[in-house]
Amino acid sequence: MIVADQKPIEEILQMLEPYKRVLLLGCQSCVAVCMAGGEKEVGLLASAVRLARTSQGRPIEITEGVVKRQCDDEFNDLWRETIEQQEAVLSLACGVGVNKLSERFDLPILPALNTKFFGEVERQGIWTEVCAGCGNCILHMTGGICPIARCAKNLLNGPCGGVRADGTCEVSRNGPRPCAWVLIYERLGKLNQRKNMEQLFAAKDWSSDRHGGPRRRIREDMLL
Amino acid sequence: MKACERQALDFTQTERIFSLEVGAVVLATGFEPYDARVVGEYGFGRFANVLTGPQFERLLSASGPTMGKVVRPSDSQPPKKIAFIQCVGSRDLRHQSYCSAVCCMYATKEAIVAKEHDHQIEPTIFYIDLRAYGKGFESLVKRAREEHGVRYICSMVSQVTEIPETKNLLIRYRDESGALREEEFDLVVLAVGMRPSAKGQELARKLGLELNEHGFIKTSVFDPVRSTRAGVFVTGACTGPKDIPETVIQASAAAAAVGALLAPARGTRTQTKHYPEESVPDGAPRIGVFVCHCGSNIAGVVDVKAVAEYAKTLPGVVHAENVLYTCSQDNLKHMKEIIREKKLNRVVVASCTPRNLAALFQDTIREAGLNKFLFEMVNIREQCSWVHADQPERATEKAKRLVRMGVAKARQLKPLAVQSVRIAPAALVIGGGLSGMVAALTLADSGFETHLVERRAELGTDLLGILRTPEGEDVQHLRARLLDAVRTHPKIRVYTSTTVQEISGFVGNFSSVLKGPWGEERIQHGVVIVATEAYERKPSAYLYGEDPRVLTQRELLRYLETGEGEQPRRSLVMIQCVGRDEKRPYCSRICCGEALKNALALLEQDPSRQIYVLYREMISYGFLEDLYRRAREGGVVFIRYDERTPPVVQRANDHLAVTVRDARLRQEVLIQADLVVLSTGVEPDPYNEEISRLLKVPLDAHGFFVEAHIKLRPVDFASHGIFLCGGSHAPGTISELIAKAQAAAGRAAIVLAKGELEAGGVVATVDQEKCTACLTCLRECPFGAVFINAQGLAEIEAVKCQGCGICAADCPAKAIQLGQFEDAQELSMIEELFRERVSAL
Amino acid sequence: MSAHAEPKIVAFCCHYCAFAAADLAGVLRLKYPPNVHIIRLPCTGKLDALYVLKAFEAGADGVIVAGCLEGSCHFISGNIRAKKRVLAIKNLLPKLGIAPERLEFFNLSSAQGDRFAQIAREMVERVRALGSFHPAEEEDSHDRRGSEAHRRDLTDAGAL
């Protein structure tokens, strides 16, 4: 799912500086599951902002709401009436939700979250990036482990010289991360597919990734 | 008759005789206070300002003759100096030779309560031995001394004289320094003892029951609730003086004994209680608020009338009133009437802690047709009047806030549904000592399968080495009998060298893993009884371990049994209260009785022996007092020592030199002893820590388990379905431990006999519309109550849900609510708590 | 700070330990200030982080969260969950201009009536020293600038 992080409260408060009446709108999809923007987080953030603003002597009126998915107009439209009464909307959805609301409503839509990556639940409380959305999936060749997302250098043909003795990547941010190619190697071994590693990939054609501009997917048969 | 509104008077009633066919009889005929007039030297009945303990208790009571104000009879003025005289009618060959067991503590309590009622009161307690042997008693006495300024003077008073002009009383006594003093008091309270109830004795004779030498109903040491007649059980003070916890224990023990006797006929004559159809609370909340006086417990501090008046102003409240005792039968009936009359659909009771009586009120409203969860209880006693007694105005303001908060929650309460779940009809007893065996036998005799688990290789190791009880009963014979009965009982499975590895589940449905050298087994059971014992502490003082002539009382027993050995031991010194210090201040209750028993046995063996007992207080309560007297008559010398100047034991040439400062003579005494015997008290089994962890049950600072309520639920844990007995609840004599074990078995049997249990109510539910299937609740639930249903969403099994609310608090989609603690309910409480309303005050 | 302002404290107590300890404090007739108001929860695990923030919004000057001793939670892990939530909020409070010392998590057993009374007394004094942070309570609120966390000189926090 899409994994996002709440912005530091200082930044959020700064964004809300000019406004006295806002709607905090959460989303019940990805950001609820990764505990950044569901109904619970909306309630907590609203309370925190109210307290901070009261402390500053500049109270703020907050309406709290949540939609099933902020990436569809129909769900957001349910809040039209309320939105039109606000000075701004602070969206707790991923960037998609912020974009969507901005296209539809003529008032500032502010992002409460920093949208980060496509991730899995490593374990309760920890989400890890495992897919880069590069648009040209080669997971069948790499035993299901993505070298674009999980290798810091996006290498396609095996590890670099920076694999540590314990199998972790020398870049490893947010704590030691396993080298993707070590994982791929081990997994291909279990699947008896080590031969895959003998096939060399040419330099990646990044045009299928966002480097070629914003992408679109169309299902002709589903157009109304 | 016309005057009585309730038409309770009917002069046409005549005496009727009923015939009842029963399988067992229980006598609980109680006691009478000793008649203080007979103890003429104290002037009771002649001097206006001499009262008995029970009379003083009435004086302190809100429903008493002075509405709880402490004033003296002669002039209705508040007394300043109050003297308590202990042992009035007890420990006295002219009256009753036994000790009445409760007076030292009730005098202490009355002194403290008197001081709470009126700070300027100065209580003094004149005593012989301060018998604070029960659980927590010695710390209460310490607080009485240090925090409440109660004076304790170890000196008996021979007479009280009255000063005619002031009606004050003069008391002569010897103080610590030995000087003769005369002190004037405004009021004297005589701590009268207990004597057998005359009517009770008459009834006992009619039933053909034997009485003991003191006129109490005779029971046997190893069967403390059984009378001399089969099928007739006896309980409480009618068998001998005892305090509230002991009485409650005996009551449960008698019920357990009856339950075992009548097991084959269980349920054949019972009726199921039927409740009226539940009304559905539609429309706006109609809340009734009942503010309790609790006598003067609440009303003495909180202005309960003002609180009730305030409650009337709160939104949703259609009825508010004061009640003297909300828990009384009268009021419960009245509440039901009001519910019907005023069509109440929610009830708030502002009184004591919901932990004790919420269930009672819930049952009451259910009888009136309301779902029992439409009830909220506000604690304005333990958490208000009792802790803010010095600030009545602020306590009243706080009470109002708490009621406002409770009413806010009540507005949001919803009816909750419950369902029935079957109970696993078996018990797990942890600990195979005396208590474990007795509890197991009682349960098994009642028809329930029992698993008895003992970590040592043998059962009953706590009884090894004890020959006789102080009354002379054969303990080894008892042990053999119990072992045999336990091993041959078809309903008891014994596991020795076995420990409990894990216990999961909840009342009615526990699942435990037992592990021993024989392997591992998982058992299902409905209840748990913790029955570990306390063991003689090994001392590290008085040359113990360094000199073979220094023994503990248990080791002395072995010596008595095997005989003299090398040389005859003529001169023995027993030292009591060894090892009692700041860290281990509690009285172990049994040591003085054991010392007396052993001293008498030593004398019986060889009357020429010279025995000295060095003690702090002689804890020979109840009928043990007779042993104390016989020991003195037999020539045993009792020397009282002050805890600040304990005895010293040194090696001399062929003997041990024991020096002690005699507190009465105020002189050092040197005794040449052949043998020194230490009474070291008992310590709870160290395995209790593991049990505490496995069962999540609390231990106190000394390592003894903490019961649900020290007086009213002494063998229950707060957690449902788990009970306790044995020395690890508190030390006790063999007789007391047997009663406690029977009591725990009886309490456990209640659960098992029901067959099924209610589930639901305070359980969590997942709103299927909101659930995002993030799996948080599934992962967090400590009880595995969450599963993913066919729709791919989280769902909670009500029977497994324990109602902790962890899932509800962490659900990122706010899809889970816990019944009775819903967010809307809790938030409305929080919002209302500090919101002063314009109409308030 | 107004001389008449008495600190308002909410104590979220779990049924099995803290609430029972509070009852025991009553049975023992211990004394603590009437500033403390107890809200009973089945377990501190039920404590939603929102309850703490809402308590501050609703006028509380201090919040106590009290649960069982670690390892002794009647519901196994509720107190561990609660402690983490409370610590997360304590970290958030200074960023909202609220002294983190106003919120505290305590572990105690049902046998510790004396400890409950002690906790109540200490929190009341601690919060009293911090003053009220609700502008309506302050007589000269227009003088208050910046966040409370910058006024440490007024507090004797850490004295628990």
Side-chain angles (χ1 to χ4, degrees):
Chain A
M1 76 199 130
I2 297 176
V3 179
D5 221 354
Q6 230 175 65
K7 283 178 176 291
I9 187 98
E10 297 92 341
E11 201 185 321
I12 294 178
L13 288 169
Q14 200 167 24
M15 264 192 260
L16 290 173
E17 263 280 316
Y19 308 111
K20 287 214 192 68
R21 197 170 58 253
V22 298
L23 165 68
L24 258 63
L25 195 63
C27 175
Q28 292 285 63
S29 272
C30 311
V31 292
V33 177
C34 71
M35 298 167 184
E39 190 173 321
K40 184 174 176 66
E41 294 302 320
V42 169
L44 288 171
L45 185 59
S47 197
V49 168
R50 276 192 299 260
L51 279 168
R53 286 284 288 256
T54 310
S55 276
Q56 294 166 9
R58 303 176 48 238
I60 183 171
E61 191 192 308
I62 298 181
T63 306
E64 299 167 35
V66 77
V67 294
K68 190 125 185 127
R69 265 199 327 275
Q70 250 182 60
C71 38
D72 272 308
D73 282 329
E74 285 90 331
F75 291 122
N76 295 334
D77 276 346
L78 296 171
W79 287 86
R80 170 172 290 277
E81 223 178 278
T82 311
I83 290 174
E84 281 166 358
Q85 289 164 10
Q86 309 301 317
E87 293 175 12
V89 176
L90 179 65
S91 166
L92 276 84
C94 68
V96 178
V98 182
N99 269 276
K100 198 68 176 148
L101 288 170
S102 296
E103 288 166 23
R104 194 78 157 174
F105 302 106
D106 294 326
L107 75 169
I109 310 290
L110 311 167
L113 308 185
N114 287 326
T115 306
K116 298 255 168 109
F117 52 81
F118 305 127
E120 67 174 12
V121 178
E122 196 179 306
R123 59 183 173 89
Q124 177 79 352
I126 301 181
W127 296 269
T128 324
E129 184 167 10
V130 293
C131 170
C134 75
N136 190 5
C137 192
I138 53 163
L139 289 179
H140 56 293
M141 297 302 293
T142 61
I145 313 273
C146 179
I148 306 295
R150 301 170 81 162
C151 169
K153 301 174 182 172
N154 305 324
L155 298 175
L156 287 174
N157 293 298
C160 67
V163 192
R164 297 189 195 134
D166 61 355
T168 56
C169 169
E170 67 177 354
V171 177
S172 274
R173 66 167 167 178
N174 297 143
R177 307 304 310 145
C179 164
W181 279 101
V182 170
L183 292 176
I184 291 171
Y185 180 78
E186 283 168 357
R187 173 96 178 122
L188 290 176
K190 283 194 195 132
L191 296 173
N192 266 320
Q193 291 177 348
R194 283 268 164 76
K195 279 190 157 293
N196 287 8
M197 291 198 68
E198 289 167 24
Q199 182 185 327
L200 293 178
F201 286 98
K204 183 168 173 69
D205 175 5
W206 290 98
S207 62
S208 64
D209 191 271
R210 59 169 316 284
H211 296 287
R215 297 165 284 180
R216 256 173 140 205
R217 170 180 186 259
I218 301 178
R219 274 281 298 267
E220 297 283 352
D221 59 320
M222 291 311 294
L223 295 173
L224 293 173
Chain B
M1 222 161 117
K2 289 196 198 127
C4 178
E5 285 173 10
R6 299 206 175 275
Q7 313 206 318
L9 298 173
D10 178 3
F11 291 118
T12 65
Q13 280 187 331
T14 52
E15 191 184 70
R16 286 170 63 185
I17 295 181
F18 290 89
S19 209
L20 293 172
E21 212 180 81
V22 296
V25 174
V26 179
L27 242 65
T29 46
F31 71 96
E32 277 166 8
Y34 195 75
D35 187 353
R37 281 173 304 190
V38 182
V39 193
E41 61 268 35
Y42 295 138
F44 179 76
R46 289 182 291 127
F47 306 151
N49 294 324
V50 173
L51 300 174
T52 61
Q55 285 181 327
F56 192 65
E57 189 93 35
R58 283 302 290 154
L59 210 59
L60 294 170
S61 167
S63 50
T66 59
M67 315 286 253
K69 275 196 69 185
V70 185
V71 293
R72 27 183 251 162
S74 67
D75 53 11
S76 294
Q77 288 304 302
K80 187 151 180 251
K81 296 183 62 167
I82 302 182
F84 289 81
I85 299 178
Q86 299 307 106
C87 305
V88 176
S90 313
R91 301 185 70 180
D92 193 332
L93 284 175
R94 298 170 301 156
H95 306 288
Q96 289 161 150
S97 63
Y98 54 82
C99 159
S100 290
V102 304
C103 324
C104 287
M105 293 315 295
Y106 86 57
T108 297
K109 175 201 68 180
E110 286 183 1
I112 293 177
V113 176
K115 240 197 124 132
E116 278 179 357
H117 280 238
D118 185 347
H119 289 302
Q120 49 117 25
I121 288 178
E122 291 167 12
T124 305
I125 300 182
F126 294 95
Y127 70 97
I128 307 174
D129 291 286
L130 199 57
R131 294 182 168 168
Y133 54 88
K135 196 169 178 181
F137 286 3
E138 130 288 322
S139 65
L140 185 70
V141 168
K142 184 162 185 256
R143 283 189 34 234
R145 274 200 169 102
E146 293 171 11
E147 285 172 33
H148 299 275
V150 176
R151 253 165 99 213
Y152 285 88
I153 298 181
C154 181
S155 171
M156 254 337 248
V157 172
S158 59
Q159 74 168 45
V160 172
T161 38
E162 188 189 45
I163 301 171
E165 296 84 18
T166 55
K167 301 277 188 235
N168 284 357
L169 293 327
L170 263 178
I171 287 182
R172 250 197 222 148
Y173 64 95
R174 274 194 196 284
D175 69 10
E176 249 186 40
S177 70
L180 197 58
R181 291 200 178 286
E182 204 173 66
E183 209 173 310
E184 200 174 310
F185 290 91
D186 303 306
L187 188 69
V188 167
V189 179
L190 304 178
V192 292
M194 294 180 174
R195 72 170 167 197
S197 140
K199 287 239 165 81
Q201 286 175 319
E202 199 189 300
L203 183 59
R205 280 192 203 100
K206 273 194 207 156
L207 289 173
L209 308 183
E210 279 177 49
L211 303 177
N212 71 11
E213 62 194 299
H214 298 295
F216 289 92
I217 301 179
K218 189 172 181 184
T219 61
S220 76
V221 174
F222 296 149
D223 229 330
V225 292
R226 200 178 292 268
S227 74
T228 48
R229 180 173 171 179
V232 178
F233 300 90
V234 283
T235 174
C238 67
T239 65
K242 51 181 64 72
D243 61 15
I244 294 177
E246 283 306 307
T247 303
V248 173
I249 286 170
Q250 278 210 343
S252 289
V258 168
L261 177 68
L262 300 181
R266 181 180 304 129
T268 54
R269 294 224 193 148
T270 49
Q271 294 174 318
T272 0
K273 183 169 181 181
H274 290 290
Y275 293 93
E277 180 101 18
E278 255 178 42
S279 59
V280 178
D282 50 5
R286 293 179 60 81
I287 304 172
V289 180
F290 298 86
V291 183
C292 192
H293 288 231
C294 192
S296 71
N297 281 305
I298 297 175
V301 173
V302 171
D303 183 349
V304 289
K305 286 203 170 52
V307 175
E309 282 308 305
Y310 176 65
K312 286 185 184 149
T313 69
L314 297 170
V317 173
V318 300
H319 175 89
E321 64 172 302
N322 291 110
V323 183
L324 193 59
Y325 290 104
T326 43
C327 54
S328 67
Q329 282 302 308
D330 271 351
N331 182 59
L332 296 179
K333 189 156 169 270
H334 170 71
M335 271 173 64
K336 287 189 274 192
E337 279 162 13
I338 297 288
I339 289 174
R340 280 188 273 267
E341 248 175 64
K342 302 233 175 156
K343 299 194 176 28
L344 300 183
N345 55 28
R346 287 171 182 66
V347 173
V348 175
V349 169
S351 60
C352 53
T353 177
R355 286 172 62 245
N356 281 345
L357 292 179
L360 172 69
F361 291 113
Q362 285 181 306
D363 199 55
T364 302
I365 72 169
R366 195 173 164 197
E367 286 171 5
L370 280 185
N371 179 284
K372 72 177 193 179
F373 295 99
L374 296 169
F375 172 75
E376 176 71 7
M377 198 152 167
V378 177
N379 187 338
I380 55 173
R381 190 183 75 171
E382 284 89 337
Q383 296 174 4
C384 192
S385 68
W386 275 358
V387 286
H388 310 312
D390 54 344
Q391 302 186 67
E393 282 102 33
R394 291 185 66 197
T396 303
E397 292 315 301
K398 175 172 163 173
K400 286 181 189 165
R401 273 181 233 125
L402 294 175
V403 167
R404 177 170 70 225
M405 196 165 65
V407 166
K409 177 155 178 174
R411 282 196 289 270
Q412 308 279 348
L413 288 173
K414 295 178 182 148
L416 300 172
V418 291
Q419 60 181 112
S420 288
V421 184
R422 289 221 62 84
I423 285 177
L428 170 65
V429 177
I430 304 178
L434 168 69
S435 304
M437 290 195 282
V438 170
L441 283 167
T442 310
L443 278 169
D445 284 341
S446 304
F448 304 112
E449 198 185 309
T450 307
H451 303 269
L452 178 60
V453 175
E454 165 57 50
R455 68 184 176 98
R456 296 180 179 83
E458 264 190 278
L459 297 174
T461 50
D462 53 313
L463 292 173
L464 286 174
I466 308 180
L467 286 180
R468 301 201 170 272
T469 66
E471 300 84 358
E473 300 292 323
D474 185 341
V475 176
Q476 292 311 305
H477 178 76
L478 167 74
R479 179 173 183 268
R481 199 166 38 86
L482 286 173
L483 279 168
D484 186 60
V486 160
R487 289 202 177 282
T488 57
H489 203 297
K491 293 233 175 238
I492 300 181
R493 292 192 61 184
V494 179
Y495 308 78
T496 46
S497 300
T498 301
T499 51
V500 182
Q501 294 297 110
E502 65 166 83
I503 302 181
S504 58
F506 47 92
V507 59
N509 288 281
F510 288 108
S511 174
S512 303
V513 175
L514 308 177
K515 186 168 175 191
W518 44 270
E520 254 185 51
E521 185 184 334
R522 180 174 284 277
I523 56 168
Q524 311 295 332
H525 51 105
V527 293
V528 183
I529 297 183
V530 177
T532 49
E533 301 291 2
Y535 295 85
E536 186 184 57
R537 185 191 297 154
K538 282 281 168 269
S540 57
Y542 300 117
L543 300 181
Y544 180 81
E546 301 172 39
D547 193 307
R549 293 168 294 183
V550 178
L551 309 171
T552 64
Q553 289 283 354
R554 267 303 175 94
E555 288 162 356
L556 174 67
L557 291 174
R558 252 173 272 141
Y559 169 82
L560 277 173
E561 196 184 348
T562 56
E564 292 283 11
E566 318 83 53
Q567 330 146 266
R569 307 287 186 180
R570 283 277 135 68
S571 165
L572 292 98
V573 172
M574 294 187 176
I575 306 181
Q576 300 302 102
C577 293
V578 172
R580 268 184 83 182
D581 56 16
E582 285 287 302
K583 264 186 16 193
R584 273 194 280 258
Y586 59 87
C587 167
S588 293
R589 190 178 182 128
I590 58 177
C591 327
C592 286
E594 289 290 297
L596 289 171
K597 170 192 77 174
N598 291 342
L600 286 167
L602 283 164
L603 281 182
E604 204 184 296
Q605 248 186 16
D606 178 357
S608 73
R609 281 190 169 121
Q610 193 54 49
I611 304 176
Y612 301 84
V613 177
L614 314 183
Y615 72 96
R616 280 166 38 173
E617 306 286 354
M618 206 57 206
I619 306 295
S620 51
Y621 58 96
F623 301 140
L624 287 172
E625 186 65 31
D626 293 324
L627 284 179
Y628 185 24
R629 199 184 62 257
R630 277 172 45 210
R632 291 186 330 264
E633 285 166 0
V636 176
V637 177
F638 288 86
I639 298 177
R640 187 190 171 91
Y641 73 87
D642 187 291
E643 61 182 290
R644 289 165 294 188
T645 53
V648 173
V649 176
Q650 285 160 320
R651 264 186 280 244
N653 358 331
D654 61 341
H655 60 267
L656 292 166
V658 181
T659 28
V660 62
R661 184 182 160 74
D662 186 324
R664 296 226 193 276
L665 296 177
R666 286 167 303 286
Q667 274 180 24
E668 288 256 313
V669 172
L670 166 65
I671 308 168
Q672 293 182 344
D674 296 321
L675 214 57
V676 169
V677 188
L678 307 175
S679 283
T680 54
V682 294
E683 274 176 338
D685 193 323
Y687 190 60
N688 288 351
E689 302 258 338
E690 178 65 11
I691 294 177
S692 168
R693 198 189 55 80
L694 279 170
L695 282 170
K696 303 285 169 268
V697 289
L699 289 168
D700 69 13
H702 308 304
F704 293 99
F705 286 108
V706 178
E707 61 275 66
H709 190 286
I710 192 152
K711 296 208 183 299
L712 302 179
R713 293 176 65 196
V715 293
D716 293 7
F717 276 111
S719 314
H720 297 305
I722 312 180
F723 306 92
L724 75 161
C725 57
S728 287
H729 156 258
T733 62
I734 287 179
S735 194
E736 288 164 353
L737 290 177
I738 290 175
K740 207 161 23 181
Q742 289 176 318
R747 299 287 296 161
I750 295 175
V751 176
L752 297 176
K754 280 211 178 108
E756 37 178 54
L757 221 57
E758 255 181 20
V762 183
V763 292
T765 31
V766 181
D767 183 338
Q768 301 288 290
E769 303 270 303
K770 288 176 129 182
C771 175
T772 60
C774 70
L775 307 177
T776 300
C777 53
L778 184 97
R779 291 174 186 143
E780 283 190 341
C781 179
F783 306 100
V786 185
F787 67 98
I788 299 297
N789 62 18
Q791 287 70 48
L793 301 168
E795 201 176 311
I796 294 173
E797 266 191 85
V799 297
K800 286 192 182 162
C801 176
Q802 295 304 293
C804 63
I806 291 174
C807 56
D810 274 338
C811 173
K814 283 264 140 257
I816 305 181
Q817 291 299 329
L818 177 65
Q820 207 69 358
F821 295 93
E822 295 187 2
D823 284 328
Q825 293 161 357
E826 298 306 299
L827 289 172
S828 73
M829 285 178 94
I830 293 169
E831 277 156 23
E832 285 289 299
L833 174 57
F834 295 125
R835 181 185 296 176
E836 306 295 341
R837 287 173 178 276
V838 174
S839 55
L841 310 169
Chain C
M1 180 175 91
S2 157
H4 299 299
E6 277 289 337
K8 299 184 182 128
I9 315 285
V10 171
F12 292 98
C13 293
C14 73
H15 173 95
Y16 284 94
C17 285
F19 194 88
D23 281 345
L24 183 57
V27 167
L28 296 174
R29 307 293 201 277
L30 302 176
K31 304 255 182 294
Y32 57 86
N35 305 61
V36 177
H37 304 75
I38 295 170
I39 292 184
R40 184 178 71 102
L41 296 173
C43 174
T44 46
K46 174 69 186 84
L47 178 83
D48 197 318
L50 188 64
Y51 295 175
V52 177
L53 292 176
K54 285 285 191 184
F56 282 118
E57 279 197 84
D61 298 303
V63 175
I64 294 169
V65 179
C68 305
L69 294 174
E70 290 200 9
S72 302
C73 176
H74 180 81
F75 298 102
I76 324 250
S77 49
N79 57 353
I80 311 282
R81 301 290 323 131
K83 187 170 180 178
K84 287 191 181 181
R85 290 173 206 144
V86 169
L87 287 178
I89 300 187
K90 266 174 88 84
N91 286 335
L92 175 65
L93 287 178
K95 301 175 190 173
L96 309 178
I98 300 173
E101 293 82 14
R102 294 183 181 276
L103 167 65
E104 202 62 68
F105 184 86
F106 297 96
N107 298 89
L108 73 169
S109 90
S110 56
Q112 291 181 294
D114 52 345
R115 176 82 180 114
F116 182 87
Q118 187 194 23
I119 288 168
R121 276 182 235 121
E122 285 180 4
M123 275 304 276
V124 170
E125 285 325 301
R126 193 208 268 189
V127 174
R128 191 192 303 279
L130 290 169
S132 174
F133 67 94
H134 295 281
E137 309 285 321
E138 297 277 320
E139 273 174 348
D140 42 349
S141 60
H142 61 277
D143 279 340
R144 281 179 64 257
R145 274 182 240 300
S147 83
E148 232 185 6
H150 299 142
R151 297 196 302 164
R152 287 300 164 93
D153 52 296
L154 288 184
T155 76
D156 54 350
L160 195 72

